[in-house]
Amino acid sequence: MKNTVKKIMWITGILFIFLLVLATNLIDRDHIKGIRASVSTMYKDRLIVKNLIYNISNLTQEKRIAFLLSDSNFYSTKNAAINDSIYTLIDKFSKTQLTSNETHYLERLYNNFKDVEVLENQSLNNRDILQDKEWRNTMETKLLRLRNNLNSLSDIQINEGKRELARVNRAFNTIDLFTNIEIAFLVIIGIITLLIVLYPTKQEKQ
């Protein structure tokens, strides 16, 4: 009878440990999936997008320099290729996982860029317009809006990156917590098992 009870206790303890380890491993697996998704998001939808914003900013800066210098040669020879590059970069941006704020500012960027393009094309038919005060004021405003749109999109990348990093840290903290709980339960089960095995029964005492 004594051996049977011990066997039952051993089986129960081992089964409990098995179920505990299985449960914590399944929980850890879910959190690891979440970490992997967050890291992937930070790379695909944050770092890559940050690079796209950087490239668009460089190209728009070339436009601004040409505008300040009233460089008619730029508008007739280089501007079309730069516009094509910007449209390509915006298109790549639009295919990433966008937040509602990103969608809003990307649409504003696109619309403002279209307005700039219209103004630039006016210079192809009339070079004198580069000196026109009204045209220059309008272009200045549109280029400033482009810069503000890009700054807003850049700020979003930083904020979203911080949010994803916080999610990763929470997942790691949860994994650490369950790991510690698992270790604590294993220690307790080990102590209980030792007590069952080593503690003498009443029959043994007699």
Side-chain angles (χ1 to χ4, degrees):
M1 183 67 179
K2 172 189 171 184
N3 290 334
T4 302
V5 171
K6 281 188 176 182
K7 286 181 180 180
I8 293 174
M9 291 295 185
W10 272 101
I11 292 172
T12 302
I14 293 172
L15 181 61
F16 182 82
I17 293 172
F18 172 79
L19 293 175
L20 176 65
V21 173
L22 178 62
T24 53
N25 282 340
L26 290 175
I27 293 171
D28 288 347
R29 180 185 296 178
D30 288 337
H31 286 295
I32 289 171
K33 287 181 180 178
I35 292 171
R36 186 178 291 114
S38 292
V39 171
S40 177
T41 296
M42 283 190 286
Y43 175 71
K44 292 181 180 178
D45 301 323
R46 300 300 154 222
L47 293 180
I48 289 180
V49 166
K50 189 74 173 177
N51 186 60
L52 293 175
I53 294 171
Y54 174 78
N55 289 333
I56 295 173
S57 296
N58 284 342
L59 294 174
T60 55
Q61 185 62 22
E62 288 188 48
K63 288 176 172 290
R64 180 167 181 78
I65 292 172
F67 163 72
L68 293 174
L69 296 177
S70 298
D71 187 354
S72 59
N73 184 61
F74 170 87
Y75 292 114
S76 61
T77 61
K78 297 180 180 179
N79 191 55
I82 288 178
N83 286 347
D84 289 342
S85 297
I86 291 177
Y87 277 123
T88 298
L89 293 169
I90 291 176
D91 182 62
K92 288 181 179 180
F93 196 156
S94 68
K95 292 177 181 178
T96 62
Q97 189 69 33
L98 301 174
T99 66
S100 58
N101 275 343
E102 280 180 303
T103 300
H104 171 71
Y105 283 109
L106 187 60
E107 288 177 354
R108 293 181 65 175
L109 175 70
Y110 178 81
N111 291 331
N112 285 323
F113 178 64
K114 291 288 289 183
D115 291 341
V116 168
E117 186 179 30
V118 170
L119 291 169
E120 291 171 338
N121 288 338
Q122 291 175 2
S123 71
L124 297 178
N125 301 320
N126 180 15
R127 291 192 175 188
D128 292 338
I129 202 172
L130 294 175
Q131 307 302 328
D132 182 78
K133 185 176 180 180
E134 183 179 354
W135 183 89
R136 292 189 67 81
N137 287 339
T138 304
M139 177 65 87
E140 177 73 23
T141 300
K142 295 298 182 180
L143 288 173
L144 180 60
R145 288 178 181 175
L146 280 182
R147 186 173 65 184
N148 290 339
N149 296 152
L150 289 166
N151 287 340
S152 296
L153 288 168
S154 182
D155 290 341
I156 290 172
Q157 306 317 306
I158 294 173
N159 293 331
E160 289 299 314
K162 288 179 180 178
R163 188 176 64 83
E164 292 297 335
L165 182 59
R167 181 184 297 177
V168 169
N169 287 333
R170 286 196 300 270
F172 274 123
N173 290 337
T174 302
I175 291 173
D176 286 340
L177 174 62
F178 277 100
T179 299
N180 291 333
I181 291 174
E182 180 181 347
I183 292 172
F185 269 107
L186 290 175
V187 170
I188 292 171
I189 293 299
I191 293 173
I192 293 174
T193 303
L194 285 175
L195 290 175
I196 292 172
V197 173
L198 299 178
Y199 191 77
T201 64
K202 291 182 180 179
Q203 185 177 357
E204 289 176 331
K205 290 179 179 179
Q206 293 174 355

